[in-house]
């Protein structure tokens, strides 16, 4: 049995587009069967153990003063050590790094992603103490000016257009797999960030060939 770790943010957690109540601070979540990571696990079948680690607001390596505990680097190593041996680590992060108050550019986010990649390589949590395969998934471009997160992501749309190329370059430098989700999905028109049920299904199906190629190479 092969083990896959999916490390992500609200897109992996299953956040319903515009599903945030500003009064109660409650977030709506897609049903388990509708989330892309769960659908991917079902498509892969019983020969794979898929561990899903999605956290709303998670960044690559940056502390968010408005959302403590979301630095993706802080939890990555304990997560890796908890679940090893791991055959494949999939990371889908970067959207939250582009929030207005963090004042980061796409290049900064890509270097944050590179730090995560280096952490995975140093941990040696693959089979027999090797380095697991790594797949970087670029999240879909943020659509500005819509939904309850419009103010938080003001200015992020242009920056997010630059993210795929920056992630691709980092993936090449670090010899990792790369998947640009923009080729198959788009963020919701309701809030500009998250995925509706249709996009979740499309992403799960589109990732399957890439995963099979990585694990059999």
């Amino acid at each position: 049995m092969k083990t896959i770790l999916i490390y992500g943010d609200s897109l992996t957690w299953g956040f319903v587009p515009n599903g945030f109540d500003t009064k109660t601070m409650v977030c709506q979540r897609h049903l388990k069967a509708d989330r892309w990571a769960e659908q991917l696990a079902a498509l892969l079948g019983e020969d794979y153990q898929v561990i899903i680690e999605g956290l709303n607001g998670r960044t690559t390596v940056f502390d968010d003063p408005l959302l403590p505990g979301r630095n993706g680097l802080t939890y990555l190593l304990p997560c890796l050590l908890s679940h090893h041996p791991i055959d494949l680590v999939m990371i889908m992060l970067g959207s939250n790094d582009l929030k207005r108050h963090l004042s980061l550019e796409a290049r900064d986010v890509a270097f944050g992603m590179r730090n995560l990649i280096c952490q995975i390589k140093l941990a040696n949590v693959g089979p027999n103490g090797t380095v697991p395969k790594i797949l970087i998934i670029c999240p879909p471009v943020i659509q500005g000016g819509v939904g309850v997160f419009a103010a938080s992501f003001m200015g992020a749309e242009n920056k997010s257009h630059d993210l795929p190329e920056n992630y691709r370059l980092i993936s090449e430098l670090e010899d990792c797999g790369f998947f640009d989700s923009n080729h198959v999905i788009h963020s919701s028109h309701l809030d500009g960030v998250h995925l509706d049920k249709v996009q979740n299904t499309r992403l799960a199906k589109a990732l399957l060939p890439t995963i099979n190629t990585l694990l059999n190479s």
Side-chain angles (χ1 to χ4, degrees):
M1 177 178 286
K2 293 186 181 296
T3 298
I4 298 174
L5 171 65
I6 301 176
Y7 196 67
D9 53 24
S10 57
L11 301 183
T12 299
W13 184 79
F15 201 110
V16 173
N18 237 27
F20 178 67
D21 190 317
T22 56
K23 293 182 179 179
T24 64
M25 306 296 284
V26 172
C27 305
Q28 294 181 35
R29 193 176 192 182
H30 285 299
L31 296 176
K32 186 175 182 179
D34 292 331
R35 302 169 204 159
W36 73 264
E38 297 286 356
Q39 292 186 56
L40 178 60
L43 290 170
L44 287 165
E46 296 180 354
D47 292 333
Y48 293 83
Q49 178 189 24
V50 180
I51 300 158
I52 303 169
E53 288 284 354
L55 174 65
N56 294 336
R58 178 178 279 151
T59 66
T60 54
V61 301
F62 302 100
D63 291 320
D64 186 338
L66 303 183
L67 288 174
R70 270 36 175 218
N71 185 324
L73 183 61
T74 303
Y75 180 61
L76 180 59
L77 182 58
C79 183
L80 294 170
L81 296 174
S82 294
H83 297 296
H84 86 287
I86 302 169
D87 296 276
L88 171 64
V89 180
M90 301 168 57
I91 308 178
M92 187 178 181
L93 290 172
S95 297
N96 292 299
D97 301 54
L98 297 176
K99 288 178 178 177
R100 180 180 58 173
H101 65 277
L102 295 181
S103 301
L104 298 169
E105 301 294 331
R107 185 174 180 271
D108 304 321
V109 181
F111 277 111
M113 179 63 76
R114 191 176 193 182
N115 284 341
L116 296 179
I117 294 169
C118 291
Q119 179 69 269
I120 295 169
K121 290 183 174 181
L122 289 171
N124 293 321
V125 293
N128 300 314
T130 60
V131 176
K133 299 291 179 66
I134 303 171
L135 176 62
I136 304 306
I137 305 171
C138 185
V141 167
I142 294 168
Q143 301 181 46
V146 295
V148 295
F149 301 110
S152 296
F153 287 97
M154 186 180 298
E157 183 170 1
N158 289 337
K159 295 178 182 181
S160 66
H161 277 285
D162 295 331
L163 201 55
E165 180 62 15
N166 279 273
Y167 272 9
R168 184 187 66 79
L169 291 172
I170 291 298
S171 298
E172 289 179 357
L173 285 171
E174 296 294 340
D175 193 25
C176 298
F178 173 66
F179 184 92
D180 183 2
S181 72
N182 289 285
H183 293 316
V184 294
I185 62 171
H186 59 77
S187 56
S188 171
H189 301 304
L190 295 178
D191 70 5
V193 180
H194 299 105
L195 306 177
D196 61 26
K197 291 194 291 185
V198 172
Q199 304 309 311
N200 272 274
T201 299
R202 287 178 178 170
L203 181 58
K205 291 180 177 179
L207 282 167
L208 195 59
T210 299
I211 292 171
N212 286 329
T213 299
L214 272 175
L215 289 177
N216 293 298
S217 61

